Amino acid sequence: MDTAESKKEEADYKRLHSFPLIRHTDMPEEMRVETMELCVTACEKFATNNESAAKMIKESMDKKFGSSWHVVIGEGFGFEITHEVKNLLYMFFGGSLAVCVWKCS
Amino acid sequence: MPVRHKAGTVKSKQGSTSQSKAPAAKGPKAAIKKKDDEDGTEMGDGADEWLQGKTLVKPPDQLDLTEAELKEEFTRILTANNPHAPQNIVRYSFKERAYKTISSVDQLAVHFVLEGNLLHKDSDEARRQRARQGLQEEIIVETNAEETEEEISETPVDGAEDAGETEEGGAEERPDSVEVKAGKKEQKLTNQFNFSERASQTLNNPLRERECQTEPPPRANFSATANQWEIYDAYVEELQRQEKNKEKQKATSKKDDEKVKKKTMQVETQSDDISKVSKAAKIIERMVNQNTFDDIAQDFKYFEDASDEFREQEGTLLPLWKFQYDKAKRLSVTALCWNKVYKDLFAVGLGSYDFTKQGRGMLLYHSLKNSTFPEYIYPTPSGIMCLDIHDQQTHLVAVGFYDGCVAVYNLKEKSLEPVYKSTAKSGKHTDPVWQVKWQKDDMDNNHNFFSVSSDGRVVSWTLVKNELVYTDVIRLSVGGAVSDGLEAMQIPTTACGTCFDFHKQIDYMFLIGTEEGKIHKCSKAYSSQFLETYDAHNMAVDAVKWNHCHPKVFISCSSDWTVKIWDHTIKNPMFTFDLNAAVGDVAWSPYSSTVFAAVTTDGKVHVFDLSVNKYEAICQQAVVAKKKTKLTHIEFNPLYPIIIVGDDRGYVTSLKLSPNLRRKPKEKKGQEVPKGPEVEVAKMEKLLSLLREPDISPQN
C-alpha cells in the first residue's frame, strides 16, 4: 500500500511540478519567454542527457542573442557566476532539474 | 715700333672691345626689340634699364679716345701664315753641300690635342669589341649607336652640351654609357620641336589616428544552489500561490459587490494623491482663470454698451469667453444645454453633421468660471447629436448618438461610461437620434425622457433600476396622420423626425419637425394620429420650440433659410423671416416673449425683438473667427443676459446681449415685474392680434 501511495504521490508530484518555474531572471519579457521555451524544448528533447540539452540551449542562444552564452543543467549544483546584466535566467523544470543560462563574454 | 705697336694693339683692343661692345649692346637690344614686337607689350622699360646698367660699368683705366681716334680704322688681314713660325730657317743641304735657307716653313700650329676613343662602328676595333661583349649587347649598341648619331645630328645646337657630356661619358667607359643612354632613350620619345614637360602632384590626404574606448557592458554576479529540496520547495510554494489566486478569483466572482467595492477601493487608493488636492487645485485653477480673464469677467458683470442709447433699436453682441477643448477640435458642436440649477454650467455635445465623417464624439461640461478647461469630459465612441440635462436632477444628462443609441450619463458617477445605454435589444433607434428631452417623472417616480430619430420613431425611455425601458410613442409616416382606419392597408413609409418640443403647460402636447419640412402637432395619448400638420418648410426642420411665455406660440427654423413663428391653432405662419443662409438653430429668450435668436451657417447670430421690429433683426452679427465656420446651435442662459453659440469647429462662444436686445425688463421694472409672465403674454398677444385680423379676414 505504502509503495503504491508513494508512487501515486510521486506521479502527482511529477504531474504537478512539470511546468517551468522561473526562479530568477533579469531578462526583458520577450527574451525571457523565448529562452524559457527553448530550455523546456531542450530538456524535453534530451530528457536523459543534460549535456546535450545544455549544448542545444547554448548554441541556440548564441545564434539568437550573440555569442558567449553559458548553460548549466543539473539536479544539484551550486554556482557563483558573473553575467552581463539583462542576460540571466535561472529556472527549475520538471520538478527536479535546475537550468541556469547566462551570457558573459 | 714695339711701343707704337703696343699702343696700337691696345688701341686696337680698345677699339675692338668698344666696337664689339657696341654691337653687343645693340644686339640684345635689337633682339629684345624684336622680342617685344613678337610678344606685344609684354616687355617694357625694364629691359632697357637692365642694358644701361651693363653699359655704364667701365674699367677705371680705360683710355679716353677722341672721336677721330675712335673712328680710325685698323685693317687686319688674316693669313694662313704662322706669325710665330721662323722665316729664316737655314739648314745644311747635303746634296749641294752648302747652307741654304728653307723656303717652305711649316705653318701648322697645334693648340690643343685630345685623344678620343670613339670608334667607327664598322671599324675593326669596333667589331672586335662587339665580338667580345656578346650578341645582345651588340644589337643594342648598334641600334643605340644609330640613335645617338641621329640624335646628335638632329639637335646640333641645343644638344651640344649633351653631346659633350655624352662624349665625355663615352670617354670614360664607352659601352656602359651607351647602355645607360639606351635605358633612357627607350622610355620615351618626346616631340623634339615643341615639347614642354608638365607634372603635377596631388596632395596626399594626411592620415590621422583616432580611437575610443567603450565601457564594457554592465555585469552582475549571481549565485545560488540548486538541489532537489530547493527545487521541491520552490514548486510547492508556487503551487500554493496559484491555489490562493484561484480561491481569490472564485471569491470575487461569487460576490460581485465586494469586487466592485474592492475595485473602487483600488481606484481610490491609486488616485489618492491627486484626489486629496483636487479640490484645492480646482479652486486655484479658477482663481488663476479669474485673474487671467478679469476683463471678460468685468464685462460679463458690468459692461453695458453705452452706444445703444444712441442707436434707436439695434443692439450688439459682446463676445465674452470662448470655450474649447483640444481633443474636440475636429468635432462640431451638435448640442448645447444649460444646467437649470447651476446657471454657469452648460453641457456641450460634440459630433459631426457630415455623415461621411462620422466617428467619435464627446460630451463636455463647461463652466463660465473656468473657460480654459472643461469641468467634465466624457469621450464617446459615436458622435453625439443631442443632449438634455434634467431640470431637477441636474447630474443626469440624456444623450442621443449618431448610431441611434440613447444614453444617460450621471455626473456623480466616476466612470466615463453612461449609467444607462440603449442597446439593439432594448429598442434603440436605427438612425441618428436628433433630439432628446427629459419629461416629468412618471407615476412610479421613474425618470423618463423622449427621443426622436430619423427612423421615424418617437420613443419614451424610462429609467428603471439598471435598465432603460422603452415605449414607442408614435411612428411618423409620410402620408400625414394615418387616421382613417386604413392604416393596415397602407405601406408604412416612415417620415424622419428631426426635432420636437413639448408644450410648457399642456403636458400631452408636443410638436415634431420632420425632414420633409412638415411639423406635426401630436399628443402622447394617440400613437397613430397627429392633431395637426403644418406645411412649414421646404427643407428639413432644424428646430422647433414653444415660446416660454405664450402658450400658443412656437417657432421653427429650417435649412431653407427661413425662421417661422406660428400660432398652433392656425395652420399658416404668423411671421416668416428669411435669413439668407441655412438656419441651424433658433431659441426663444427666457426673459421676453418677443425676443428670439437664430444662428445661420454663414457664421451670423440674428437677434429679433418682435415688439421692436417685426420685419428685421435688431442685431445681426458675425461672431466666428474664420469665414467658413458654420454656427450650429444657440442657447440663452436662463438667468444672465448672455447666449452661447456653438460652431462646427468645436468652439463655443459666449456673447453678451447689449441693453437694446433686452430692453423690456429694464423699462418697466417698477410696475410690471410682479406680473411678468402675464405682461409677456399680453405683449405677444397684442402682436398676434395685429396679424390675425388681416389673416383671418381673407379666410372669412
Side-chain angles (χ1 to χ4, degrees):
Chain A
M1 281 295 283
D2 279 3
T3 51
E5 265 184 18
S6 67
K7 264 188 185 175
K8 197 189 169 193
E9 265 181 17
E10 202 179 319
D12 254 15
Y13 173 81
K14 284 252 170 165
R15 186 174 51 78
L16 282 171
H17 294 186
S18 60
F19 61 90
L21 174 64
I22 291 179
R23 192 74 179 144
H24 179 88
T25 184
D26 58 355
M27 283 180 181
E29 170 77 25
E30 204 176 312
M31 190 180 183
R32 190 185 68 215
V33 172
E34 201 169 329
T35 312
M36 193 183 79
E37 279 171 3
L38 173 68
C39 291
V40 171
T41 317
C43 290
E44 280 173 352
K45 191 176 176 187
F46 302 104
T48 54
N49 191 345
N50 289 343
E51 197 180 327
S52 306
K55 193 177 176 184
M56 175 183 166
I57 293 168
K58 185 208 146 54
E59 281 170 359
S60 307
M61 291 302 282
D62 280 352
K63 262 186 210 165
K64 275 181 191 161
F65 302 106
S67 63
S68 304
W69 283 88
H70 312 270
V71 181
V72 177
I73 300 179
E75 296 195 346
F77 54 90
F79 58 93
E80 160 91 30
I81 55 158
T82 300
H83 64 95
E84 281 177 22
V85 169
K86 307 250 175 204
N87 286 300
L88 169 73
L89 177 84
Y90 177 47
M91 60 178 272
F92 297 151
F93 175 68
S96 60
L97 275 183
V99 184
C100 187
V101 183
W102 77 97
K103 178 176 175 169
C104 184
S105 45
Chain B
M1 264 310 279
V3 175
R4 171 77 185 94
H5 183 75
K6 218 181 182 177
T9 56
V10 169
K11 257 188 192 174
S12 76
K13 261 187 189 166
Q14 282 293 323
S16 71
T17 52
S18 64
Q19 270 177 351
S20 66
K21 232 177 193 173
K26 264 184 187 173
K29 229 182 188 175
I32 285 160
K33 266 190 182 171
K34 225 180 164 183
K35 218 183 178 183
D36 276 359
D37 290 347
E38 281 170 4
D39 294 354
T41 54
E42 203 178 301
M43 303 286 276
D45 298 332
D48 287 337
E49 276 169 21
W50 172 73
L51 277 173
Q52 277 175 358
K54 197 94 182 179
T55 48
L56 278 172
V57 176
K58 273 182 181 178
D61 55 344
Q62 188 175 342
L63 282 172
D64 286 330
L65 297 175
T66 63
E67 201 72 7
E69 278 172 327
L70 281 171
K71 283 187 177 172
E72 195 179 346
E73 284 190 9
F74 294 88
T75 314
R76 303 188 82 181
I77 298 162
L78 291 173
T79 59
N81 294 335
N82 185 356
H84 298 296
Q87 302 290 321
N88 45 356
I89 297 171
V90 178
R91 294 231 170 103
Y92 183 75
S93 169
F94 290 97
K95 188 180 163 189
E96 296 177 19
R97 300 192 182 195
Y99 288 95
K100 270 188 123 178
T101 52
I102 295 161
S103 57
S104 58
V105 185
D106 187 12
Q107 298 294 337
L108 179 72
V110 175
H111 294 286
F112 176 70
V113 175
L114 179 70
E115 282 200 21
N117 46 9
L118 277 173
L119 298 178
H120 195 271
K121 59 175 182 178
D122 294 333
S123 63
D124 292 344
E125 179 61 27
R127 280 189 198 127
R128 246 176 285 140
Q129 278 188 5
R130 258 179 274 163
R132 239 186 323 198
Q133 304 215 335
L135 196 68
Q136 279 194 334
E137 275 185 353
E138 218 173 276
I139 295 158
I140 294 162
V141 168
E142 256 180 42
T143 52
N144 284 317
E146 273 172 12
E147 273 177 12
T148 46
E149 271 171 14
E150 277 170 14
E151 171 80 26
I152 289 158
S153 65
E154 272 172 12
T155 57
V157 184
D158 56 14
E161 273 188 353
D162 287 0
E165 276 176 13
T166 53
E167 271 180 345
E168 277 173 356
E172 283 167 15
E173 207 170 4
R174 166 74 192 176
D176 284 1
S177 74
V178 167
E179 259 185 43
V180 169
K181 259 204 137 175
K184 267 185 193 170
K185 288 293 165 191
E186 262 184 326
Q187 282 175 354
K188 196 180 178 188
L189 262 181
T190 52
N191 182 351
Q192 298 299 332
F193 302 100
N194 184 15
F195 171 70
S196 59
E197 193 161 9
R198 279 188 191 188
S200 65
Q201 197 167 15
T202 55
L203 184 73
N204 287 327
N205 286 328
L207 297 172
R208 194 179 289 171
E209 270 183 37
R210 198 176 263 200
E211 58 199 33
C212 64
Q213 203 166 11
T214 55
E215 272 185 30
R219 291 183 177 181
N221 282 333
F222 174 66
S223 60
T225 312
N227 47 40
Q228 287 309 301
W229 52 92
E230 289 259 349
I231 294 171
Y232 180 82
D233 287 351
Y235 271 103
V236 168
E237 201 178 306
E238 176 69 18
L239 283 171
Q240 278 174 352
R241 215 175 61 214
Q242 278 180 5
E243 267 173 33
K244 264 188 192 174
N245 276 350
K246 270 184 194 170
E247 275 173 18
K248 261 189 193 174
Q249 277 176 359
K250 274 181 191 170
T252 48
S253 62
K254 271 179 188 169
K255 296 173 186 174
D256 268 340
D257 297 344
E258 276 183 22
K259 184 188 168 187
V260 171
K261 268 184 192 172
K262 268 180 191 171
K263 267 201 173 175
T264 50
M265 283 286 281
Q266 277 177 350
V267 170
E268 274 171 14
T269 48
Q270 274 171 5
S271 59
D272 211 4
D273 295 340
I274 305 164
S275 60
K276 266 182 191 169
V277 295
S278 68
K279 194 165 185 188
K282 202 168 197 171
I283 292 168
I284 292 289
E285 190 185 9
R286 287 189 175 187
M287 282 165 72
V288 168
N289 272 303
Q290 198 182 342
N291 283 341
T292 314
F293 300 107
D294 182 48
D295 49 342
I296 294 178
Q298 297 288 341
D299 284 350
F300 165 70
K301 194 73 186 167
Y302 301 113
F303 181 78
E304 303 292 355
D305 197 345
S307 64
D308 262 24
E309 288 180 23
F310 306 102
R311 279 193 289 252
E312 292 241 314
Q313 299 173 334
E314 290 166 16
T316 54
L317 296 168
L318 175 73
L320 298 173
W321 301 277
K322 199 167 188 185
F323 302 90
Q324 65 180 83
Y325 181 51
D326 279 343
K327 284 174 184 168
K329 254 187 179 173
R330 297 265 174 86
L331 302 168
S332 62
V333 175
T334 54
L336 292 170
C337 189
W338 284 99
N339 188 313
K340 306 285 189 303
V341 174
Y342 303 100
K343 289 181 170 113
D344 60 302
L345 193 67
F346 63 92
V348 182
L350 292 146
S352 174
Y353 282 123
D354 187 345
F355 75 93
T356 57
K357 287 179 190 163
Q358 283 301 330
R360 69 200 177 85
M362 203 168 276
L363 169 63
L364 301 178
Y365 267 78
H366 283 286
S367 168
L368 299 183
K369 290 170 183 166
N370 179 6
S371 59
T372 51
F373 200 77
E375 295 288 312
Y376 299 93
I377 301 161
Y378 296 96
T380 59
S382 178
I384 289 177
M385 300 310 287
C386 51
L387 59 85
D388 191 32
I389 300 176
H390 199 280
D391 283 2
Q392 288 87 42
Q393 312 292 324
T394 53
H395 57 278
L396 290 177
V397 56
V399 175
F401 293 104
Y402 185 84
D403 64 3
C405 287
V406 292
V408 177
Y409 285 89
N410 187 347
L411 299 194
K412 286 178 177 174
E413 293 283 334
K414 282 190 175 169
S415 92
L416 294 177
E417 294 303 312
V419 285
Y420 300 97
K421 187 161 186 178
S422 67
T423 60
K425 278 186 201 166
S426 63
K428 92 176 179 64
H429 290 285
T430 52
D431 272 321
V433 182
W434 289 105
Q435 199 158 6
V436 288
K437 202 88 176 177
W438 285 103
Q439 302 295 314
K440 282 178 190 163
D441 292 352
D442 63 9
M443 285 174 281
D444 303 329
N445 283 332
N446 287 324
H447 303 307
N448 70 96
F449 64 94
F450 274 44
S451 69
V452 65
S453 158
S454 296
D455 64 1
R457 287 163 64 210
V458 176
V459 181
S460 162
W461 304 88
T462 311
L463 280 58
V464 183
K465 283 190 177 178
N466 289 320
E467 56 179 347
L468 274 177
V469 176
Y470 78 102
T471 323
D472 277 13
V473 174
I474 209 161
R475 260 176 205 279
L476 304 174
S477 63
V478 168
V482 270
S483 52
D484 44 13
L486 294 170
E487 51 193 295
M489 309 285 281
Q490 283 175 343
I491 301 159
T493 42
T494 53
C496 309
T498 54
C499 53
F500 63 176
D501 195 27
F502 294 85
H503 198 277
K504 306 281 181 233
Q505 281 108 43
I506 308 167
D507 196 35
Y508 59 84
M509 191 154 64
F510 65 100
L511 295 162
I512 300 173
T514 66
E515 218 161 67
E516 292 77 37
K518 291 193 170 50
I519 295 174
H520 305 295
K521 186 167 76 176
C522 308
S523 165
K524 288 178 195 173
Y526 309 106
S527 66
S528 58
Q529 207 168 349
F530 301 143
L531 300 178
E532 189 82 77
T533 296
Y534 310 91
D535 280 329
H537 292 282
N538 299 320
M539 289 174 76
V541 181
D542 287 332
V544 58
K545 304 260 173 87
W546 286 102
N547 191 295
H548 289 289
C549 309
H550 196 286
K552 284 183 178 176
V553 176
F554 68 89
I555 194 167
S556 70
C557 73
S558 160
S559 305
D560 68 357
W561 297 13
T562 56
V563 171
K564 292 182 180 177
I565 295 172
W566 307 75
D567 181 331
H568 79 84
T569 55
I570 300 171
K571 282 198 89 174
N572 293 325
M574 307 306 287
F575 295 95
T576 303
F577 303 97
D578 193 323
L579 300 184
N580 289 327
V583 186
D585 195 13
V586 70
W588 288 105
S589 78
Y591 52 82
S592 167
S593 63
T594 54
V595 176
F596 66 91
V599 285
T600 50
T601 51
D602 58 356
K604 281 182 184 165
V605 176
H606 308 254
V607 183
F608 290 80
D609 189 343
L610 301 175
S611 65
V612 173
N613 191 333
K614 288 196 287 270
Y615 307 105
E616 278 182 344
I618 54 169
C619 175
Q620 195 172 347
Q621 193 171 324
V623 297
V624 291
K626 285 178 188 169
K627 261 198 168 180
K628 282 187 176 173
T629 311
K630 297 171 182 172
L631 290 180
T632 54
H633 282 278
I634 184 166
E635 280 297 326
F636 278 87
N637 185 287
L639 181 65
Y640 306 111
I642 63 166
I643 53 173
I644 45 171
V645 293
D647 61 32
D648 64 351
R649 287 171 197 269
Y651 295 115
V652 175
T653 314
S654 55
L655 302 152
K656 183 166 182 175
L657 301 157
S658 74
N660 267 0
L661 304 179
R662 49 190 161 95
R663 193 186 276 171
K664 278 295 156 211
K666 237 188 175 179
E667 266 186 357
K668 302 182 178 177
K669 217 174 188 176
Q671 321 159 341
E672 309 288 348
V673 160
K675 3 175 187 170
E678 286 165 31
V679 171
E680 293 298 339
V681 172
K683 193 167 68 176
M684 193 64 173
E685 193 60 38
K686 199 174 130 195
L687 272 171
L688 294 175
S689 61
L690 281 174
L691 285 162
R692 237 174 252 156
E693 280 179 13
D695 234 30
I696 294 164
S697 56
Q699 277 181 3
N700 294 343

